[in-house]
Amino acid sequence: MPKSLARHAHPPRNPVRRLCLQMSAGLALGSLLPRAARAQTASQASAPEAASLGDWSAREVQSLVARIVDRNQLPEALVTRLIAQAQYSATVARLILPGPPGKKNWKVYRSRFLDSLRIGAGSDFMQEFGIWFQRAQERYGVPPHIVAGILGVETIYGSNMGNFRVLDALSTLALRYPAQAPRDRSAYFGVQLGDFFQWCARDARDPLKVRGSYAGAIGMPQFMPESILKYAVDFDDDGGIDLINDPADAIGSVASYLAAKGWVRGQPTHFPLQLPQSLPPDTLAALLAPDITPTFTADQLVAMGLPLLPQARAYAGKLAVVQLPNAGADPDYVLGTDNFYVITRYNQSAFYALAVIELGEVVSAAATAAKTQS
């Protein structure tokens, strides 16, 4: 991690330095607020508890503000005032809940992403910004089609980056996470809210105007604020990091993220796998138990009765037997490598990883064909 980003991830504890950071961050954020809000913030600086907290519980806000001040080195009064200007979103609270249980269907999921809209947009995007894909591969080892696949699945190459005010989304999920959810993730979103304020201060962005997904993800690659601080890069060296408007930064930042998560240069992502019908159920259960985590060597898989293709037999690393259900039809299977697992660090789903890979391959081939014909 670059030193400048490491500094943001682990703020110094020196009280003098802390005060300087708070003052500079307060000035940066305060200057971005509308004039009336700045005046109200200044008048309440000595008594932030007197501020109107709108949709939020004063006790919950006080606890969250304390955590943000400690982690992000921001002025207490200003953080309180920003949160007070956030609005609860029932839509965000609804969308964060898991959908009704249903049968997973890989073929249906795949069809949602490998469509003509994404393929056409991706082909155009790769032709226009191909130099940045190549530079990202040179620096981070991540192939262009993987980065292109992620940008296509996430936002159709920047055409659908979300229209929720990030301040509202993150405040809703940090302070009023839906009680009916399977588990409470409010602490996670509280961290993201503080990191969002820190990013706004660092990059001179108005926290009242930034828009993103219902979960607070931002820009073409849909980075959460914590990931922006840790992994985003100024890939075109123009003096700033902009994942919303700058394709070069978006491309470089996706590659930076995957490299930081353990991407292995030159390694394949997966191999095809056809299971024999005679495979005992107990053996299949043992193979599927590790899920997407690479666990077995090629020799172990052969010993357990799997007929591996020559390229899979020659692979020296660990492999995961990944099942892709197709509702009532027979499931598909692939052998996932460490790089397949790395893609699931972006979104913890085998469906997601394979959709990224296959969309990227199709888009890359379309871009190459278009370039050849032009």
Side-chain angles (χ1 to χ4, degrees), residues 60-76:
E60 295 294 335
V61 170
Q62 186 178 34
S63 175
L64 177 58
V65 168
R67 297 196 300 272
I68 289 174
V69 168
D70 182 64
R71 173 183 168 88
N72 302 100
Q73 310 298 298
L74 297 171
E76 179 180 349

Side-chain angles (χ1 to χ4, degrees), residues 38 71 90 121 151 186 210 241 278 290 294 303 341:
R38 291 204 302 270
R71 173 183 168 88
L151 293 175
S186 58
V210 180
I241 299 172
S278 60
Y341 181 80

Side-chain angles (χ1 to χ4, degrees), residues 118-134:
R118 278 183 171 81
I119 294 169
S123 174
D124 292 344
F125 191 85
M126 290 197 78
Q127 290 176 74
E128 184 174 0
F129 303 108
I131 184 63
W132 299 111
F133 284 101
Q134 292 301 324

Side-chain angles (χ1 to χ4, degrees), residues 18-285:
R18 176 186 177 123
L19 179 59
C20 291
L21 284 172
Q22 286 183 328
M23 291 176 63
S24 61
L27 289 171
L29 277 180
S31 67
L32 294 170
L33 295 175
R35 183 178 300 175
R38 291 204 302 270
Q40 193 171 7
T41 298
S43 68
Q44 294 167 344
S46 61
E49 67 276 8
S52 170
L53 296 178
D55 293 332
W56 319 115
S57 156
R59 180 177 61 83
E60 295 294 335
V61 170
Q62 186 178 34
S63 175
L64 177 58
V65 168
R67 297 196 300 272
I68 289 174
V69 168
D70 182 64
R71 173 183 168 88
N72 302 100
Q73 310 298 298
L74 297 171
E76 179 180 349
L78 186 59
V79 173
T80 303
R81 187 61 213 159
L82 286 169
I83 293 175
Q85 294 180 81
Q87 297 177 347
Y88 173 77
S89 172
T91 303
V92 165
R94 174 176 57 83
L95 290 174
I96 204 68
L97 294 172
K103 293 183 177 180
K104 294 182 177 181
N105 192 322
W106 158 241
K107 288 183 171 59
V108 170
Y109 182 94
R110 180 184 185 277
S111 69
R112 294 173 184 162
F113 297 102
L114 275 82
D115 60 358
S116 58
L117 174 64
R118 278 183 171 81
I119 294 169
S123 174
D124 292 344
F125 191 85
M126 290 197 78
Q127 290 176 74
E128 184 174 0
F129 303 108
I131 184 63
W132 299 111
F133 284 101
Q134 292 301 324
R135 290 181 181 178
Q137 182 174 25
E138 291 167 7
R139 182 177 300 182
Y140 298 109
V142 182
H145 77 276
I146 297 296
V147 177
I150 286 178
L151 293 175
V153 168
E154 292 292 341
T155 63
I156 318 180
Y157 307 96
S159 66
N160 184 17
M161 294 186 283
N163 200 34
F164 292 88
R165 201 167 67 150
V166 170
L167 174 64
D168 297 336
L170 293 177
S171 296
T172 295
L173 297 174
L175 292 166
R176 291 179 59 182
Y177 199 82
Q180 63 269 42
R183 62 189 180 97
D184 182 5
R185 300 183 66 207
S186 58
Y188 167 79
F189 287 103
V191 169
Q192 300 309 312
L193 183 61
D195 285 357
F196 171 66
F197 292 153
Q198 183 177 332
W199 170 64
C200 287
R202 188 189 74 178
D203 291 357
R205 293 183 180 274
D206 186 343
L208 305 182
K209 294 182 178 179
V210 180
R211 294 188 175 270
S213 77
Y214 68 85
I218 297 165
M220 297 181 203
Q222 293 290 274
F223 271 19
M224 294 300 289
E226 183 176 17
S227 291
I228 295 177
L229 293 179
K230 288 183 177 180
Y231 308 114
V233 294
D234 176 12
F235 203 50
D236 53 6
D237 295 320
D238 65 354
I241 299 172
D242 185 355
L243 302 184
I244 299 172
N245 303 299
D246 190 336
D249 287 356
I251 292 165
S253 295
V254 170
S256 166
Y257 179 95
L258 295 175
K261 295 298 181 179
W263 186 270
V264 181
R265 187 184 294 266
Q267 184 186 86
T269 55
H270 67 289
F271 303 102
L273 176 64
Q274 184 71 44
L275 292 189
Q277 293 185 350
S278 60
L279 192 70
D282 288 349
T283 301
L284 178 60

Side-chain angles (χ1 to χ4, degrees), residues 350-372:
F351 279 18
Y352 175 88
L354 197 54
V356 161
I357 295 164
E358 295 194 1
L359 174 62
E361 289 173 342
V362 172
V363 163
S364 182
T368 300
K371 189 174 181 180
T372 301

